């Protein structure tokens, strides 16, 4: 049985090899959040993954429970890296944990020139790892970020993430495209 990795970055390197690009965001309070990037040559998706968020305790959780975040998109969008890092330090700054099926509102656009204003947070898709145990015993929960427009964030907050995903599917919107147009939303049909 292979030795447990000492960090999420080590796990990613073992799984996908060297990243194509890496960015590091250091905070005044001493955290270093790395954003690692890989491009899958088969389906052309670009994967961004955090490493270092697991150094931040999750408010209200067991001391060994930690989080890391991932985002998949097509086409690539390196400008989003800083916003991904901001999600990573949200718990340390706000004292509030993020979880699947919640909404994160960024303090501004996800990058200059976009109207995307935050992320809906969900569990990773079937092919993605959902958790990892590190050599020091910390248990990492992976959460997926999906960029969203202000009206989409409001809709997800009122009706739930699943309702937003259903609306995007009905509109045939490629939610993984960071340059997409916003979805035209109507309240979900609750009658049977």
């Amino acid at each position: 049985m292979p030795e447990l990795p000492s960090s999420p970055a080590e796990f990613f390197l073992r799984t996908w090899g060297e990243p194509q690009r890496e960015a590091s965001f250091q905070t005044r309070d001493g955290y270093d959040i790395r954003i690692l990037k890989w491009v899958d040559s088969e389906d052309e998706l670009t994967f961004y993954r955090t490493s270092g968020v697991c150094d931040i305790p999750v408010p209200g959780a067991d001391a060994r429970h930690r989080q890391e975040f991932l985002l998949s998109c097509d086409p690539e969008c390196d400008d989003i890296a800083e916003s991904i890092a901001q999600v990573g330090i949200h718990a340390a700054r706000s004292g509030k944990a993020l979880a699947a099926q919640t909404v994160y509102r960024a303090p501004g656009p996800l990058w200059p020139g976009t109207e995307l204003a935050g992320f809906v947070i969900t569990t990773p898709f079937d092919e993605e790892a959902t958790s990892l145990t590190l050599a020091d015993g910390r248990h990492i929960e992976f959460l997926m970020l999906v960029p969203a427009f202000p009206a989409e964030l409001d809709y997800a907050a009122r009706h739930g993430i699943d309702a937003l995903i259903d609306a995007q599917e009905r509109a045939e919107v490629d939610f993984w495209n960071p340059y997409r147009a916003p979805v035209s939303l109507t309240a979900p049909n609750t009658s049977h």
Side-chain angles (χ1 to χ4, degrees):
M1 178 174 229
E3 190 176 307
L4 291 174
S6 62
S7 70
E10 182 181 328
F11 169 73
F12 299 146
L13 290 171
R14 287 182 191 175
T15 306
W16 296 292
E18 288 294 321
Q20 291 184 341
R21 189 167 183 186
E22 180 178 337
S24 182
F25 298 90
Q26 297 168 340
T27 67
R28 283 181 243 157
D29 38 358
Y31 296 111
D32 182 19
I33 308 299
R34 296 166 60 194
I35 309 298
L36 302 121
K37 170 189 171 182
W38 289 267
V39 177
D40 184 321
S41 57
E42 282 184 34
D43 58 19
E44 298 181 7
L45 275 178
T46 300
F47 299 97
Y48 299 93
R49 290 173 166 74
T50 64
S51 183
V53 176
C54 63
D55 295 332
I56 303 169
V58 177
D62 178 278
R64 290 184 304 186
H65 177 79
R66 302 301 171 96
Q67 296 177 324
E68 293 288 351
F69 298 91
L70 61 96
L71 181 139
S72 303
C73 63
D74 179 24
E76 67 185 8
C77 181
D78 292 350
D79 290 335
I80 206 167
E82 185 173 356
S83 290
I84 297 169
Q86 291 298 322
V87 172
I89 60 173
H90 173 78
R93 293 205 171 140
S94 70
K96 297 177 183 171
L98 292 170
Q101 303 300 310
T102 60
V103 169
Y104 167 81
R105 294 177 192 275
L110 294 185
W111 69 86
T114 187
E115 293 180 29
L116 290 164
F119 299 101
V120 293
I121 302 170
T122 186
T123 54
F125 293 141
D126 295 338
E127 299 83 33
E128 292 282 349
T130 58
S131 65
L132 170 69
T133 300
L134 298 179
D136 64 8
R138 288 181 291 171
H139 177 265
I140 309 299
E141 170 190 33
F142 292 114
L143 294 171
M144 189 170 83
L145 305 175
V146 178
F149 291 92
E152 294 169 348
L153 296 169
D154 294 342
Y155 187 86
R158 280 193 311 276
H159 303 290
I161 305 292
D162 291 337
L164 176 62
I165 292 169
D166 289 345
Q168 289 175 327
E169 286 176 0
R170 283 192 309 275
E172 298 180 358
V173 167
D174 297 334
F175 69 85
W176 57 84
N177 182 344
Y179 304 105
R180 69 178 174 84
V183 175
S184 178
L185 300 164
T186 57
N189 184 359
T190 56
S191 62
H192 297 286

